[in-house]
Amino acid sequence: MGEQIVQELKECPEVRGIVTYDVAEDRIRVMKDQYQVPGSTRLRDILDDPAVKLVFVAAANHAHKDLTLQSLEAGKAVLCEKPIANTLADARLMVETAERLKLFFQIGFELRYSLLYMKIKEWIDAGLLGQVVNTHCLYTSCAYDKKAWRNTKREGGDTFGERISHYVDLTRWWVGSPVTEVYSACSPNVVPYTEVHDNYHTTYRFKNGAIGHISYYMNYPALFRGDPLVDNITDLQLGDGHKLRYIVVGTKGAAETDVFYRRIKRWQFSDSPDTMVSDWVENLTWSSKEDYFYYHNTTHQTYDVVRRVAQGLPPMTPARDAYETMRLCFSADEAANTGRAVRLAEHS
Ligand SMILES: NC(=O)c1ccc[n+]([C@@H]2O[C@H](COP(=O)([O-])OP(=O)(O)OC[C@H]3O[C@@H](n4cnc5c(N)ncnc54)[C@H](O)[C@@H]3O)[C@@H](O)[C@H]2O)c1
């Protein structure tokens, strides 16, 4: 992720210099040799430099809290990758510290910049779907490598924050109402060496009555390889997982996305003497060159964050809002571990 962000920063006209920090010297060498960007294994080299205005925290999850707090205390603006932190208490401390110091703090829920998922939001805001009442996300990914920090609870946190938080964030964004209840269940793991759950079946009940459901399985999408209809699964995406579909149903229409088949569709509901009619009214696609912008699109997030910090503007989404997404991730885990629904107060 750090490499991706560095490449994007090099394209930003407002950026006059980039310097990287990592505990691993080989990663610093990659930055220098591949991207011609200097680096250090001493954090103070960066935080004590008044020329550094903005810090991107893209280290492994267990390092987010300390790196963010130290950056904020040094007066820097911060973009921290998802999940905010590995515990909700840490995430709250980070958000409260940024608020106390009145510093820019945005979380990397960059799917809100995805041209695909922005289209759904545009349809909802234009009233084309009516009130959103049901959402369903089916997401599958490959297993992590055996030595990956993501396998461990101490370093990676729960699978929900690491893998699924993006999709909770989108659901909240589209439904636009607070969650009141979370139900969740996990089957026994298929991937034997993960210390964390490798599947979740989670349902959110929203205050306005809507239901959002997310099904996640690990170690399934390698089946994609060889599918003649799917020509945009890169090795990177395959290695990282990914089969990803959304269905969003409102009172006036519905939408469906499949990012790997490059499609987004919309239906419009109407009445007829015999039945309720559902007309397929939009069918959009994009070119392979645009794949990244229609999916993760950290590129537009990076440009936007740099521009906002340079102009003294607030984050695109307040960190409080990202914290709410994290609260729903931890609640899903709690529900799965206890077998009981978690009821949420509106503000806690
Ligand atoms: N937004 C997205 O879609 C997205 C995609 C991929 C990764 N991420 C996030 O980016 C972060 C990094 O993921 P990755 O895939 O690049 O992992 P990675 O394992 O490739 O890189 C993690 C890096 O963190 C460094 N590190 C570990 N502890 C550190 C510490 N205490 N201080 C400084 N550096 C430390 C490691 O040396 C390594 O270079 C994670 O939080 C992950 O969730 C987000």
Side-chain angles (χ1 to χ4, degrees):
M1 199 63 208
E3 286 182 44
Q4 173 74 26
I5 293 168
V6 160
Q7 291 173 75
E8 293 162 351
L9 287 173
K10 288 180 87 167
E11 301 299 319
C12 291
E14 298 94 336
V15 173
R16 281 186 222 126
I18 306 168
V19 57
T20 60
Y21 160 75
D22 200 303
V23 284
E25 279 182 19
D26 57 324
R27 286 292 178 109
I28 297 290
R29 260 198 307 280
V30 168
M31 289 297 181
K32 190 160 173 281
D33 296 346
Q34 251 171 276
Y35 305 104
Q36 295 75 54
V37 167
S40 170
T41 51
R42 288 187 307 269
L43 184 59
R44 292 314 320 174
D45 286 352
I46 289 163
L47 298 189
D48 292 343
D49 183 347
V52 174
K53 305 289 182 203
L54 168 62
V55 173
F56 283 79
V57 175
N61 297 349
H62 67 289
H64 287 189
K65 176 191 162 194
D66 282 351
L67 292 174
T68 297
L69 291 180
Q70 289 193 64
S71 303
L72 290 170
E73 296 291 353
K76 314 296 183 192
V78 175
L79 179 289
C80 177
E81 270 307 324
K82 51 52 53 178
I84 306 182
N86 283 352
T87 71
L88 196 57
D90 285 352
R92 189 185 302 132
L93 176 64
M94 291 155 73
V95 173
E96 286 173 355
T97 301
E99 287 174 350
R100 174 171 57 79
L101 297 172
K102 298 190 173 40
L103 288 167
F104 182 100
F105 184 36
Q106 185 165 324
I107 307 304
F109 284 128
E110 78 282 347
L111 293 190
R112 293 196 188 200
Y113 291 87
S114 153
L115 301 186
L116 173 61
Y117 301 122
M118 281 169 76
K119 180 55 83 178
I120 301 264
K121 178 74 170 136
E122 194 184 304
W123 286 342
I124 292 169
D125 289 349
L128 297 176
L129 303 189
Q131 187 197 319
V132 174
V133 284
N134 288 298
T135 71
H136 183 235
C137 172
L138 172 64
Y139 174 41
T140 68
S141 80
C142 289
Y144 307 131
D145 291 344
K146 287 192 174 173
K147 288 188 182 147
W149 52 263
R150 290 171 162 88
N151 286 313
T152 67
K153 199 165 166 70
R154 193 187 72 77
E155 297 204 352
D158 298 313
T159 306
F160 222 94
E162 170 52 23
R163 277 257 92 127
I164 313 174
S165 51
H166 279 308
Y167 310 104
V168 179
D169 193 59
L170 283 183
T171 305
R172 285 188 56 236
W173 193 41
W174 292 332
V175 173
S177 172
V179 168
T180 55
E181 241 173 339
V182 185
Y183 311 79
S184 200
C186 300
S187 73
N189 275 9
V190 170
V191 185
Y193 55 84
T194 52
E195 199 181 290
V196 291
H197 292 300
D198 69 3
N199 70 96
Y200 280 91
H201 307 268
T202 300
T203 303
Y204 291 105
R205 181 187 291 282
F206 291 82
K207 193 175 177 187
N208 68 359
I211 297 286
H213 185 77
I214 297 175
S215 298
Y216 170 74
Y217 313 83
M218 201 178 269
N219 214 29
Y220 180 71
L223 296 179
F224 252 170
R225 204 186 279 283
D227 182 338
L229 293 177
V230 179
D231 61 359
N232 66 334
I233 300 289
T234 63
D235 277 347
L236 176 70
Q237 287 162 339
L238 255 186
D240 199 24
H242 298 105
K243 179 185 190 102
L244 181 52
R245 292 182 65 192
Y246 257 107
I247 298 174
V248 180
V249 181
T251 49
K252 292 187 182 166
E256 189 181 313
T257 67
D258 191 320
V259 68
F260 293 117
Y261 286 89
R262 285 198 192 103
R263 67 184 180 213
I264 172 165
K265 300 177 179 184
R266 182 169 70 82
W267 289 263
Q268 190 171 289
F269 303 155
S270 58
D271 201 11
S272 84
D274 298 326
T275 184
M276 184 175 141
V277 180
S278 180
D279 289 313
W280 184 9
V281 288
E282 281 194 77
N283 189 25
L284 307 175
T285 187
W286 57 91
S287 73
S288 58
K289 285 200 189 96
E290 298 168 294
D291 277 341
Y292 198 73
F293 303 116
Y294 275 81
Y295 191 24
H296 274 287
N297 203 6
T298 56
T299 310
H300 287 172
Q301 174 178 263
T302 300
Y303 296 171
D304 186 46
V305 164
V306 167
R307 183 187 60 87
R308 283 171 185 276
V309 171
Q311 295 179 9
L313 299 171
M316 184 251 233
T317 306
R320 273 275 151 195
D321 189 82
Y323 171 80
E324 188 57 24
T325 292
M326 290 312 306
R327 195 162 74 107
L328 299 188
C329 295
F330 286 105
S331 301
D333 207 57
E334 183 188 331
N337 290 336
T338 60
R340 285 200 297 272
V342 172
R343 287 187 175 74
L344 290 158
E346 242 171 79
H347 301 287
S348 63

